[in-house]
Amino acid sequence: MEKEVMILWCAHVRGPDDVVACADYEAAVKFCDKINAVAKTVAHLDVMCIAYPAVWPWDASSHADGLARNNGYRAPANEVCTNA
């Protein structure tokens, strides 16, 4: 019997090149939508910032740590990147 592999999701925020752990794909999409909406408001400043859902690049332990601390994106991450 094959072991099921769980995909760990994140939001990759290009520009600042941040990776934010998200609980699942849907949470990553919602988080990216919020980041991209904010980025549109500063587009006139020639600030390159775009967020997209991506597979978490590190191990499960670091993903859990990222969910716990939200990688500095406290307000939006608490709102959309957790199951709470």
Side-chain angles (χ1 to χ4, degrees):
M1 179 175 224
E2 287 187 37
K3 182 179 177 182
E4 185 177 331
V5 176
M6 183 175 162
I7 297 174
L8 302 174
W9 290 98
C10 66
H12 186 190
V13 185
R14 295 289 308 264
D17 203 27
D18 291 338
V19 178
V20 181
C22 295
D24 54 32
Y25 178 77
E26 291 79 17
V29 170
K30 288 179 186 177
F31 183 78
C32 290
D33 287 347
K34 287 191 172 229
I35 293 295
N36 292 331
V38 171
K40 282 182 184 179
T41 68
V42 296
H44 64 283
L45 300 174
D46 287 332
V47 175
M48 197 287 274
C49 181
I50 186 169
Y52 57 89
V55 175
W56 182 254
W58 301 292
D59 65 9
S61 176
S62 64
H63 186 263
D65 290 345
L67 283 175
R69 66 181 155 73
N70 292 316
N71 297 320
Y73 286 87
R74 298 208 183 277
N78 281 337
E79 188 176 318
V80 298
C81 273
T82 62
N83 287 326

